[in-house]
């Protein structure tokens, strides 16, 4: 994930007008929500300072100085070598003195992985609501649970305003490993290059394809300039763990999909769901042991597991193989790739998805076919403790990628 888009309407006047319409009963769902979005984003922008000015000061923490210098170098590379927008984004720095910039709330029904959607003026319809205050996010999640939904609150380190504002580097991600910092900047700038209102999978898949191509070129450039080769190894370890974790989530999401699509009773589905969530926790603990105790994803398990956990991360990058194939078709030339992607964005949704499906590499078996077979034992009867873990980890060998 996500890295996740949280677009803000640029016109303060328009948002202020929204705050004056609607009754008090709808304040938190309409004008009040837009008001906190406006106020929250403007508070972020107030904290931003030009990085060049900060670097000129003598009192900057040495490690922060190094990371900010690296951020500027990454930003220059993005425009000069990746043809990404050249503007003021990621040339400023803001210390928000909190771990995340926003908290997103995701919600699903009890026996479904379909995310509840909300629609916004710029971003279109998306499967989350974002809040600048963690307490507000938790309060909204509690309201959704009272309405019968399962809700999950996830902290977000960065978002893109799609070029409406000069997005700053934030304390919430500046100390990431250099490779991850570069990946995040490339990803968010890709959203500024192309954003299709209301199609999250298209947007996130496009941005992920850009980040992957950009990161490979950035690493190669660093190595050609004599940088420490350990940088690539560090990134590969980081990326491999992330890919293994995402593969684990995808596997369990597919198992849940099969359960919910079956003819089992609701009680049987609930029992199978509990078994799948137990397997997910067990398999994650096995992964941590495989990683030598690395616990970077513990926060994801801090809340009781819900459908919304899996739904929030599962489908955003489904079209990445198609975009990678499109880039290859354009001989790796990013400007031509952007133009081709923009042409796809102009197609009606059904035609666009058909074109992307035609680009994607063929698969030996429809992905859901295997998952459905593997989910059947969960519907057939009680599951012995630990039964699922070895099977899940077979596909998660060290170094697995993509």
């Amino acid at each position: 994930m996500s890295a996740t888009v949280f677009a803000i309407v640029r016109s303060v006047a328009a948002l202020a007008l929204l705050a004056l319409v609607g009754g008090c009963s709808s304040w938190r769902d309409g004008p009040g929500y837009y008001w906190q979005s406006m106020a929250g984003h403007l508070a972020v922008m107030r904290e931003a300072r030009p990085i060049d000015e900060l670097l000129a000061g003598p009192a900057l923490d040495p490690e922060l100085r190094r990371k900010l210098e690296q951020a500027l170098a990454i930003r220059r590379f993005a425009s000069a070598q990746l043809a990404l927008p050249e503007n003021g984004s990621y040339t400023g720095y803001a210390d928000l003195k909190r771990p995340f910039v926003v908290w997103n709330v995701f919600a699903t029904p009890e026996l479904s992985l379909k995310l509840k959607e909300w629609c916004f003026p710029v971003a279109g319809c998306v499967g989350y609501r974002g809040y600048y205050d963690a307490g507000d996010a938790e309060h909204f999640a509690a309201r959704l649970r009272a309405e019968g939904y399962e809700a999950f609150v996830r902290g977000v380190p960065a978002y893109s305003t799609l070029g409406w504002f000069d997005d700053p580097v934030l304390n919430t991600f500046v100390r990431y490993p250099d490779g991850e910092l570069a990946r995040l900047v490339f990803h968010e700038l890709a959203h500024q290059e192309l954003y299709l209102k209301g199609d999250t999978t298209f947007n996130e898949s496009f941005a992920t394809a850009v980040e992957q191509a950009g990161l490979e070129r950035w690493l190669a450039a660093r190595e050609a300039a004599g940088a420490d080769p350990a940088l690539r190894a560090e990134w590969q370890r980081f990326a491999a763990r992330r890919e293994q974790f995402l593969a684990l989530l995808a596997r369990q999401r597919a198992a849940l999909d099969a359960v919910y699509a079956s003819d089992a009773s609701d009680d049987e589905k609930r029992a199978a769901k509990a078994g799948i969530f137990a397997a997910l926790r067990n398999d994650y603990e096995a992964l941590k042991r495989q990683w030598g105790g690395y616990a970077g994803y513990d926060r994801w398990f801090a809340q009781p597991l819900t459908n919304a956990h899996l739904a929030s991360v599962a489908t955003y990058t489904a079209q990445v193989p198609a975009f990678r194939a499109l880039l290859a078709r354009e001989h790796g030339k990013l400007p031509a790739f952007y133009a081709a992607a923009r042409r796809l964005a102009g197609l009606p949704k059904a035609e666009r998805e058909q074109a992307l499906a035609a680009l994607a590499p063929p698969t030996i078996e429809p992905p859901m076919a295997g998952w459905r077979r593997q989910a059947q034992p969960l519907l057939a009867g009680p599951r012995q403790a630990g039964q699922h873990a070895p099977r899940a980890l077979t596909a998660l060998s060290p170094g697995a990628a993509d």
Side-chain angles (χ1 to χ4, degrees):
M1 175 111 33
S2 194
T4 302
V5 177
F6 185 73
I8 308 296
V9 177
R10 187 177 187 177
S11 172
V12 174
L15 284 171
L17 180 61
L18 281 172
L20 298 177
V21 300
C24 293
S25 62
S26 64
W27 172 260
R28 288 178 300 182
D29 293 322
Y33 179 75
Y34 289 109
W35 185 263
Q36 72 88 31
S37 297
M38 178 190 71
H41 182 69
L42 292 180
V44 170
M45 299 305 295
R46 280 197 303 271
E47 294 297 325
R49 300 291 182 271
I51 292 177
D52 284 336
E53 290 184 11
L54 293 172
L55 293 176
L60 200 61
D61 171 73
E63 177 58 16
L64 179 58
R65 177 181 296 277
R66 188 190 74 79
K67 298 301 291 188
L68 290 178
E69 289 172 343
Q70 187 63 254
L72 284 184
I74 289 167
R75 181 63 186 86
R76 289 191 294 269
F77 184 91
S79 293
Q81 303 299 323
L82 307 181
L84 288 169
E86 187 169 1
N87 54 36
S89 290
Y90 307 112
T91 62
Y93 173 70
D95 183 355
L96 306 180
K97 298 178 173 57
R98 59 181 191 255
F100 299 106
V101 59
V102 293
W103 285 260
N104 283 352
V105 181
F106 302 88
T108 62
E110 179 194 8
L111 297 176
S112 171
L113 288 167
K114 181 175 176 57
L115 284 170
K116 181 176 174 62
E117 290 191 339
W118 292 270
C119 297
F120 305 103
V122 175
C125 296
V126 295
Y128 60 86
R129 288 242 304 215
Y131 291 86
Y132 284 86
D133 181 86
D136 288 344
E138 293 290 353
H139 180 78
F140 183 64
R143 288 177 55 201
L144 290 169
R145 294 180 190 116
E147 295 172 9
Y149 290 98
E150 294 188 348
F152 167 50
V153 179
R154 188 174 77 199
V156 177
Y159 62 78
S160 171
T161 58
L162 311 180
W164 290 74
F165 293 88
D166 289 337
D167 302 320
V169 175
L170 302 174
N171 68 293
T172 54
F173 64 83
V174 70
R175 295 183 187 272
Y176 281 3
D178 288 355
E180 177 65 359
L181 178 60
R183 182 202 70 79
L184 188 150
V185 170
F186 300 157
H187 184 103
E188 299 302 340
L189 286 173
H191 285 311
Q192 293 188 19
E193 177 66 30
L194 176 59
Y195 181 86
L196 180 58
K197 184 175 179 179
D199 194 332
T200 300
T201 300
F202 179 94
N203 295 327
E204 294 300 330
S205 296
F206 168 77
T208 299
V210 172
E211 82 177 41
Q212 290 175 352
L215 190 65
E216 178 56 40
R217 297 174 194 203
W218 178 77
L219 286 169
R222 290 287 302 273
E223 289 167 351
D228 186 350
L231 177 64
R232 182 180 290 271
E234 176 191 43
W235 165 251
Q236 288 174 336
R237 285 192 299 272
F238 184 95
R241 287 192 294 256
R242 185 180 63 187
E243 291 301 326
Q244 289 176 302
F245 180 68
L246 291 176
L248 175 58
L249 299 188
R251 185 180 187 88
Q252 302 296 15
R253 184 191 190 280
L256 274 178
D257 262 334
V259 167
Y260 295 151
S262 74
D263 295 328
S265 69
D266 285 355
D267 284 343
E268 289 173 322
K269 290 179 180 180
R270 291 185 182 101
K273 173 184 174 181
I276 289 169
F277 283 153
L280 177 55
R281 286 189 178 276
N282 289 340
D283 293 349
Y284 174 62
E285 291 302 320
L287 264 185
K288 285 171 61 177
R289 292 192 293 273
Q290 186 175 320
W291 294 337
Y294 175 79
Y297 295 100
D298 279 8
R299 190 191 299 268
W300 200 82
F301 291 89
Q303 303 172 49
L305 290 178
T306 67
N307 293 327
H309 277 72
L310 295 175
S312 69
V313 297
T315 61
Y316 285 2
T317 57
Q319 294 167 345
V320 171
F323 280 110
R324 290 172 65 94
L326 181 61
L327 177 59
R329 194 185 74 181
E330 299 297 337
H331 308 290
K333 297 178 180 178
L334 286 167
F337 168 67
Y338 300 154
R342 196 168 284 109
R343 288 193 293 272
L344 284 173
L347 296 174
K349 185 175 177 64
E351 292 182 31
R352 179 170 66 250
E353 292 186 345
Q354 184 178 9
L356 286 165
L359 283 165
T363 56
I364 297 174
E365 175 186 54
M368 283 304 299
W371 302 128
R372 287 183 183 278
R373 286 199 303 274
Q374 293 170 13
Q376 292 309 307
L378 292 169
L379 293 170
R383 171 183 171 279
Q384 295 180 355
Q387 175 183 336
H388 186 66
R391 184 173 75 246
L393 289 175
T394 300
L396 301 178
S397 57
D402 293 338

